[in-house]
Amino acid sequence: MENLTVRRFLLADGFEFVIRYEKVLEPALKKKMEFYVLLMFVFIYVMEALNLSIRLGNEDAMDALLQGVKFDFRQIHEALLVAVDTNQPIVVKRLLDRLDQEKGNKMDVRSFSQAIFDRSVDNSQFAPGVTPLTLACQKDLYDIVTMLTQKGHVIPWPHKISCACLECSNGRQYDLLKFSLSRINTYRGIASRAYLSITSDDAMLSAFSLSKELRKLSQKEPEFKPQYLSLEQICQEFAVELLGMCRNQSEVSTILNSCGNETQDSLDEQAFEEGIPSLSRLRLAVNYNQKQFVAHPICQQVLSSIWCGKLEGWRGSRTAWKLFVSVGIFLTMPLLCLVYWIAPKSKLGKLVRIPVIKFLLHSASYLWFLITLLGESITMELYRDTFASRQQNLLHSSFHMVWVVGFFWYECKEVWIEGLRSYFLDWWNCLDVMVLSMYLASFALRVLILLKGFFLCHDHDGTEECVYFTQTSRDNWHQEDPQLIAEVLFAVTSMLSFTRLAYILPAHESLGTLQISIGKMIDDMMRFMFILMIIGTAFLCGINNIYTFRFLFWTMFGVVNQDYVDMPEFVFAEFVGRILYGIFTLVIVIVLLNMLIAMITNSFQKIEDDADVEWKFARSKLYLSYFREGLTMPVPFNIIPSPKAIFYILREFEETKRKGNDSFSKHLICFCREDISYMEKVFSVP
């Protein structure tokens, strides 16, 4: 009866298959080869009978073939793929039951993940490395994915791209393209919503981690960069969809304030102010660069509510009122700091700890620092003869060092809170380290001048070195003179200090978007300068024999004297020089500079197209930096030890001392117990 069913299926559907491909067979039919063509196609059809029966949904033929045909790995592998591809959970279950029967007979069944090394599956209609579970995950077939995972099917995590293990080496040697496509298809399955939802205890956290890894892989394997970036986008969208399922504030708090245990421990070290939730998952999203998740309205609402604290009316107030409050804080900053220093737990002290007020205090402090720098620069210009000589007063030109010491202490505390690695991951912190180093070097060189002059003139008054460090005019200074180097360092750091003001711009939507655009443009300029250096050096090496380097450099900016290229006494050199100079001008001025403009325009347009997400992500990082505990007092008042800091130090010392005593007591008790046991054994004490 089973053979009869198969025959009827092959005859009925086989001829239907031939008729379906009548156009393909038409040339052969005209040559009276109907019998041979029909025989060939029926033979091929018989070979694919199981797969075709699954696609056509003929369960009787499929059951008959499964019972009558000897088990074959390639056949069961292909059949499972076909069943998954056509979304037939019942057929998948039957095939899995059949597979379990063969396993019970102790038959050698190879892993589906190792199908890449089987040449019998090279003619498969599915991509290399695609397993039934991978295909089900790619199609987000939750029922089939659940069924396969319950049967023990897993998607093995791909090894690193640089892995040199035996499995990876054999895979590359066997078929490099097949090996690479297998990795891509594996990641497609892992990055699917179905796989993340069913196999992960925390699907959102898994999506974060996978998104970060896929972003790294897009840089390590640029040949598959679009595929990896599309998968990374899927992970981000999945995390956003999970967050959007929250129905109330309680669920939002549960999600944003909890994450994995190991990650939770590392984030707990960066404690927030009292009363502010940990926001562990949100901070993790910022670290993993999950911009869409962070820019989601739910996250932004939570951050904005914490940012304003008890000042509920701040968010809806007018800009004029905000400016008025900001100016008031700017003028009364010393008084507010004094109140917080004396009574941090008072009502006014708690007001200062609100993130938005803390932000305004720190911004006011930095503005006072910039005003101090500006005042010193104007004073140096008005009294240039004094400040440009050895007669300058160190105190008059170093008032800004009060802020520099405060900034140095602030950065030390930030390193202690965040950790050295996390600290240097932020480019603003790298800029702070460089600026502070230059400020301290400039001040140290000024002190060096005074000390050398004092000691040299104290021991040997009137010597040449004494006169040089105390009375020599500026025109006679050496190139490496410490005071001259100190002035250069001070000039550079003053400029960088004003650019550091851009850190607070993300607090405003329009200014924050411009700040992000400028950052992207600077990145484009750095890459452009590398190309410019190569092409410019190539021309300079040749043309420098005819013209000077200075002339060629200023040609790029149009500040040249065209008569410089005329050399009537050297006709051949003038002819060659004009040709090379013309090519140089064409390439540098017209091609490269316009390319730079196009690159900058493209970067600006990308930011504008996604301006809302970019700005909210940058603002969120700014908000989180002011939620931290221990950095409330602005510079330079933070260098004054507060009663609160002294109390914390004493409490820490007391706890350390108590732990040490407890440890000593435990060791003493253990030592006494060992002695008593030994005495009992020696003297047989009952």
Side-chain angles (χ1 to χ4, degrees), residues 48-111:
E48 300 294 335
L50 180 59
N51 296 340
L52 193 58
S53 64
I54 294 173
R55 287 193 180 277
L56 297 177
N58 195 322
E59 297 182 7
D60 295 334
M62 183 194 68
D63 291 337
L65 287 168
L66 284 176
Q67 295 178 11
V69 178
K70 186 178 180 180
F71 177 80
D72 178 70
F73 170 75
R74 183 192 64 82
Q75 190 175 22
I76 199 69
H77 179 271
E78 192 77 9
L80 266 173
L81 288 173
V82 172
V84 173
D85 188 42
T86 54
N87 191 16
Q88 300 185 54
I90 298 177
V91 176
V92 172
K93 187 176 185 305
R94 291 183 181 179
L95 292 172
L96 290 175
D97 293 339
R98 171 70 183 210
L99 186 63
D100 290 338
Q101 293 177 7
E102 300 299 336
K103 287 181 180 179
N105 296 332
K106 297 183 180 180
M107 196 169 183
D108 184 16
V109 181
R110 288 172 291 179
S111 171

Side-chain angles (χ1 to χ4, degrees), residues 17-18 21 25 36-46:
F17 185 78
V18 175
Y21 286 89
L25 301 176
Y36 299 103
V37 173
L38 181 61
L39 183 63
M40 179 184 66
F41 270 83
V42 170
F43 177 75
I44 297 173
Y45 193 71
V46 170

